[in-house]
Amino acid sequence: VPTVQARAAWQWQAAGEAKGALGVSGHWGQERLKEELGDLDPDFDSWSVNLDLRIPVGNGSAFELELWQGANLDDYLGGIGQGINRARAEEIEASGGWLGFENGPWRQWLFSAGVGIDDPDDEDLAPGSRSRNVTAWVNGIRQFPYSIRAGLEVSYWSTDYLDAEDGESLRVQASFIYDF
């Protein structure tokens, strides 16, 4: 069944030209696994309910927040990339969100920082599965002439595993973007 997605939002004028926004969104669809699951049903629902908020605080700065809950969210980068428990042929439910602060642009720079969590339901997971992911990040993006941007992000990741050793990672990522 094709996935249906929708979002409704309310925007308001904040100080200056900045706009705040409050939105509610979601999706629903079904997918069928091509592989055989024995006598188990090969059809799985995918759904989410989401809340987003942007609050401008002046001079191009804003707080942003998103909260979500759903099931079978691997195609939507939720559930830490886990959508279905294949051993039990059940959708994996998950919830999470993120909070960020954006500041800029200042001359040609835009900065942001934030934290996020992705927390699948432990009862839906197989042993050894990722059971919680928490991340914190800070980044900067520089605008150059001719529609070119370059960015650098540093992020810390902490991943818990069900019945296995937890993991941590410090990542540095660079990006070069050409808008056309």
Side-chain angles (χ1 to χ4, degrees), residues 60 102-112 139-143 149:
E102 185 177 277
N103 194 342
W106 290 357
R107 300 199 177 179
Q108 289 82 20
W109 285 94
L110 176 67
F111 299 97
S112 65
N139 63 41
I141 299 174
R142 169 83 157 83
Q143 179 73 48
R149 292 180 286 157

Side-chain angles (χ1 to χ4, degrees), residues 68-70 73 77-82 92-97 116-125 130-134 158 160 162:
W68 55 268
Q69 183 167 351
L73 298 173
L77 304 179
I80 320 176
Q82 305 164 114
I92 295 173
E93 291 197 19
S95 60
I117 186 169
D118 188 347
D119 190 10
D121 187 341
D122 289 356
E123 294 178 8
D124 294 341
L125 300 174
R130 296 176 299 276
S131 62
R132 176 178 292 177
N133 198 42
V134 177
S158 175
D160 297 344
L162 199 60

Side-chain angles (χ1 to χ4, degrees), residues 27 31 33 44-48 68 70-86 90-94 118 120 130:
H27 85 276
E31 60 184 18
L33 291 183
F44 298 95
D45 291 339
S46 176
W47 64 270
S48 71
W68 55 268
N72 191 10
L73 298 173
D74 54 341
D75 287 341
Y76 301 91
L77 304 179
I80 320 176
Q82 305 164 114
I84 298 167
N85 181 328
R86 292 173 187 265
E90 292 179 357
E91 298 91 352
I92 295 173
E93 291 197 19
D118 188 347
R130 296 176 299 276

Side-chain angles (χ1 to χ4, degrees), residues 2-156:
T3 300
V4 177
Q5 301 179 39
R7 178 176 183 261
W10 171 59
Q11 282 190 333
W12 67 90
Q13 189 68 42
E17 295 182 19
K19 290 186 178 180
L22 174 64
V24 177
S25 60
H27 85 276
W28 180 85
Q30 283 189 330
E31 60 184 18
R32 173 171 285 167
L33 291 183
K34 289 183 179 179
E35 62 194 52
E36 286 295 321
L37 293 174
D39 293 333
L40 303 174
D41 186 1
D43 294 333
F44 298 95
D45 291 339
S46 176
W47 64 270
S48 71
V49 176
N50 315 282
L51 174 72
D52 62 89
L53 176 65
R54 178 179 173 83
I55 301 174
V57 290
N59 296 335
S61 299
F63 284 100
E64 296 180 317
L65 166 79
E66 183 172 349
L67 302 172
W68 55 268
Q69 183 167 351
N72 191 10
L73 298 173
D74 54 341
D75 287 341
Y76 301 91
L77 304 179
I80 320 176
Q82 305 164 114
I84 298 167
N85 181 328
R86 292 173 187 265
R88 295 195 320 235
E90 292 179 357
E91 298 91 352
I92 295 173
E93 291 197 19
S95 60
W98 57 270
L99 172 66
F101 179 74
E102 185 177 277
N103 194 342
W106 290 357
R107 300 199 177 179
Q108 289 82 20
W109 285 94
L110 176 67
F111 299 97
S112 65
V115 295
I117 186 169
D118 188 347
D119 190 10
D121 187 341
D122 289 356
E123 294 178 8
D124 294 341
L125 300 174
S129 298
R130 296 176 299 276
S131 62
R132 176 178 292 177
N133 198 42
V134 177
T135 186
W137 68 88
V138 62
N139 63 41
I141 299 174
R142 169 83 157 83
Q143 179 73 48
F144 293 96
Y146 308 108
S147 301
I148 297 172
R149 292 180 286 157
L152 184 68
E153 179 171 277
V154 177
S155 59
Y156 168 78

